[in-house]
Every structure is written in structure tokens, then in C-alpha cells.
Amino acid sequence: MPVPEVATRLAPLTTLRLGGPARTVVAAPSAEAVVEAVRAADTSREPLLLLGGGSNVVIADEGWKGTVVRIASTGRAVEHGENGSVVLTVEAGEDWDGVVAACVADGLGGLECLSGIPGRTGATPVQNVGAYGVEIAELLVDVDLYDRGAGIVREHVPAEELGLGYRTSALKGRDDAIVLRVRLTLSTDATSAPIRYPELARALDVEPGSRVPAAAAREAVLELRRGKGMVLDATDHDTWSAGSFFTNPVVPEAEAPEGAPRWPAGPGLVKVPAAWLIEHSGFRRGHPGPGGRVALSDKHVLALTNRGDGTTADLLALASDVRRGVQERFGIELVPEPVLVGCRI
């Protein structure tokens, strides 16, 4: 059963600590409670916002004039698969890094490069979360969804039907299909996925393509993320962010800026680091936004941070300045990675 919450301020429920109030906030501690809360809102024609860990969302200062359902379902189960693999079923409200940590501790490999990413498990296929050369699309078997239009739960929807792409899916930007749980295939040899990302390979002192103990890969990833302010710390304003604010743009190879790092992204296409574009457009770490209330992280230019007393309007003004600067310098338009709720840049 959904549980009404007394506090309706949304800022404390997001990693940016930004966002105005909601009319109503309810916690849904199970998949059944999620469905019940959503059906109740739909029946009353109440505007509905789903919120997990609040790590990949920017909410307007005006807040949300409706109901917020906070997905808080928990639970994990393991079934043995084929060729020494297992299928891990995880409820949508499980803390993602907690899931990764538990898998590594249990000798399960595959998720370790996705360590330290904040948020809830149900958001991972929506965003096709990825980091350090691994993304959810490689591990996802299927999901259970609540289809709001049909009013039914759809079980075991195959990953192939979700339109998974670079930091996106057919679910992103939609509110008619709600992830209730996910299933992932993992190895049982306590060994990492192949280390593809050059920075991580250097940190581990191995050749790209090598496999290492999953625990070693996790610790190296966490250390790299801490150095970029990408591991949550309530006392460190550099982590008061939505993570990487812009995706790495994919452009025709002939249009990639001279000197920019690049990775293959399909026939004739390359992916260029948004951080490189931002830095080479004149924005440095710590670059301030309006009144210094928001700023680029002191550790990584790709994170836009709340310095403690910022507003969503401040953050979006800074994001607009950065995007405009890159557009003017390189002719490339950066695309925001977080979901923008009631606001835009």
C-alpha cells in the first residue's frame, strides 16, 4: 500500500537539492504499491511524477502541481542460468550502487564498472546507464512494466523491445510505461567484464580487454569517480549534481573538432567527449553561474553543481551558457542527460 509522506519539498529528494514542492508525495514500498498509487492518480486525473533516487532529474523551482510517487520497492533474487551465469532479478526501488556492491561481494561479475552511480535500479534501463565501457544494454535480459494506458502489468518484456541506445531508450521521456523490476545476466566467476575504457585500464595497470577481479575493478572505478566528484557526499558540494549534465555528442567523423578525442560510434560517426568540448570553449572547473550559487564542479566540468543556495533557474542559466559557448565554438549542440521536469534550457 502507498504511504503518504508529510514533507512535500522535492529538493531534498534529489541529488541536486533543487526543486519546488509537490501537492502530494507518497512512497511506494512494493511493485504492487507503485501500481496502486499510479492507478489512484490516473483515476483522479492527478498529474503524476515518478521519482526514484532523484539523481538524474532537474525539477523546476515551481515544483510539481500534482502527485509524486516515490518508488521505494526493494528485493533481489538470483536464479542459475546457462554456462555458469545467473539471472539477477531486482526490484525497481533498490539502490543501484547497493546492488552492485552486493553482487561483487557475492562473486558475481558484470556490474562492477557501473559502481558509484547514484539512483534506483528501475532507472537503469530507462537511461541505459553506462560508465567505463559497460552499459546496461549488455546485461539486461528483460523488465516488468506497468502499462498505464492498458492498465496492466507486462512481465518479461525483452530488452530488445526497449530501444536501448546511448544513454537512452524507448522508455526515456515517457510516463506511460513504468519499470517495476529488472533482470540482468551476470557471471559467477567473480571476474570483471573486459576492461575497455583506457582510463580504467591505466588505473588497473592492465591492457584494454583484460579481465580482473570484480572487486578490484569496483574499487578502481569508485576511486576514479571520487576524483571527479561523482560519488555522493552530503558534505561535498561538488557532488550536489545530477552527474554528467550533457551526453557525449555523436557527430560525423569529418565534423569532429581537430585534436578532440574520439571513439567509433557507427559507420562514419564518432563520439566526442562533452567535457573536452566544454573545456576548449573556455569553461574551466569551478566556472560560476549566477551569483556563484551554482558552478561547474571543481573536479569535472561535465557536472553542474549546486553550491548550497542555488535554484533550478540558476542551474539552467549556467547550462545554457555552456551549451551556447560550445555551439558558438564548435557548431555542436550539447544535449542534456538528466530529465527536465517543468523546465527546459
Side-chain angles (χ1 to χ4, degrees):
M1 177 179 295
V3 180
E5 298 193 331
V6 175
T8 59
R9 290 185 61 240
L10 298 180
L13 303 180
T14 73
T15 54
L16 270 166
R17 276 77 166 180
L18 296 178
R23 183 179 298 142
T24 305
V25 179
V26 297
S30 67
E32 294 75 17
V34 172
V35 173
E36 182 179 344
V38 172
R39 282 177 173 161
D42 289 345
T43 299
S44 62
R45 298 186 178 181
E46 177 82 350
L48 177 67
L49 174 65
L50 297 164
L51 195 62
S55 62
N56 196 51
V57 64
V58 180
I59 299 175
D61 293 317
E62 293 75 19
W64 182 255
K65 294 178 173 59
T67 294
V68 172
V69 174
R70 193 169 60 81
I71 297 178
S73 52
T74 58
R76 301 193 295 269
V78 173
E79 299 177 22
H80 289 283
E82 300 177 353
N83 302 320
S85 68
V86 299
V87 174
L88 175 70
T89 300
V90 188
E91 296 298 308
E94 282 277 357
D95 174 75
W96 174 250
D97 191 55
V99 171
V100 178
C103 286
V104 171
D106 291 342
L108 303 179
L111 297 178
E112 55 286 326
C113 289
L114 303 179
S115 294
I117 296 174
R120 300 292 181 262
T121 298
T124 59
V126 176
Q127 186 73 8
N128 189 18
V129 163
Y132 295 100
V134 174
E135 60 184 20
I136 285 295
E138 302 170 46
L139 304 162
L140 187 66
V141 177
D142 61 41
V143 301
D144 292 349
L145 300 171
Y146 176 57
D147 183 332
R148 290 176 69 187
I152 60 173
V153 173
R154 298 177 59 203
E155 297 183 338
H156 297 286
V157 179
E160 293 78 11
E161 294 184 11
L162 301 181
L164 299 167
Y166 172 59
R167 301 298 178 272
T168 192
S169 73
L171 303 172
K172 187 172 181 180
R174 294 171 50 187
D175 59 5
D176 58 340
I178 300 166
V179 176
L180 300 176
R181 61 182 60 87
V182 306
R183 296 177 186 84
L184 306 160
T185 183
L186 305 173
S187 68
T188 57
D189 58 6
T191 303
S192 74
I195 303 299
R196 305 187 188 105
Y197 204 77
E199 183 185 24
L200 181 57
R202 289 193 297 270
L204 289 163
D205 194 24
V206 299
E207 291 295 320
S210 301
R211 300 179 74 203
V212 302
R218 173 173 166 79
E219 287 308 311
V221 167
L222 288 173
E223 189 63 25
L224 289 171
R225 290 183 66 88
R226 288 189 190 101
K228 299 173 183 178
M230 294 291 189
V231 176
L232 293 180
D233 180 347
T235 66
D236 181 1
H237 284 204
D238 270 336
T239 73
W240 289 30
S241 77
S244 298
F245 197 89
F246 296 107
T247 59
N248 294 325
V250 174
V251 300
E253 188 168 8
E255 296 179 14
E258 184 176 353
R262 63 198 68 191
W263 302 279
L269 300 174
V270 293
K271 186 185 299 180
V272 179
W276 188 94
L277 297 172
I278 292 169
E279 288 179 331
H280 286 77
S281 297
F283 299 93
R284 298 289 183 259
R285 298 176 187 180
H287 180 90
R293 296 181 295 272
V294 298
L296 301 186
S297 167
D298 289 328
K299 300 180 179 72
H300 198 281
V301 296
L302 203 47
L304 277 64
T305 66
N306 174 11
R307 307 317 291 182
D309 56 357
T311 66
T312 299
D314 292 336
L315 190 85
L316 297 177
L318 175 58
S320 296
D321 286 345
V322 171
R323 186 164 72 167
R324 183 168 51 251
V326 171
Q327 175 76 46
E328 291 174 352
R329 175 69 177 84
F330 295 109
I332 295 174
E333 183 174 23
L334 295 180
V335 176
E337 186 169 329
V339 176
L340 307 182
V341 176
C343 56
R344 62 181 182 178
I345 63 171

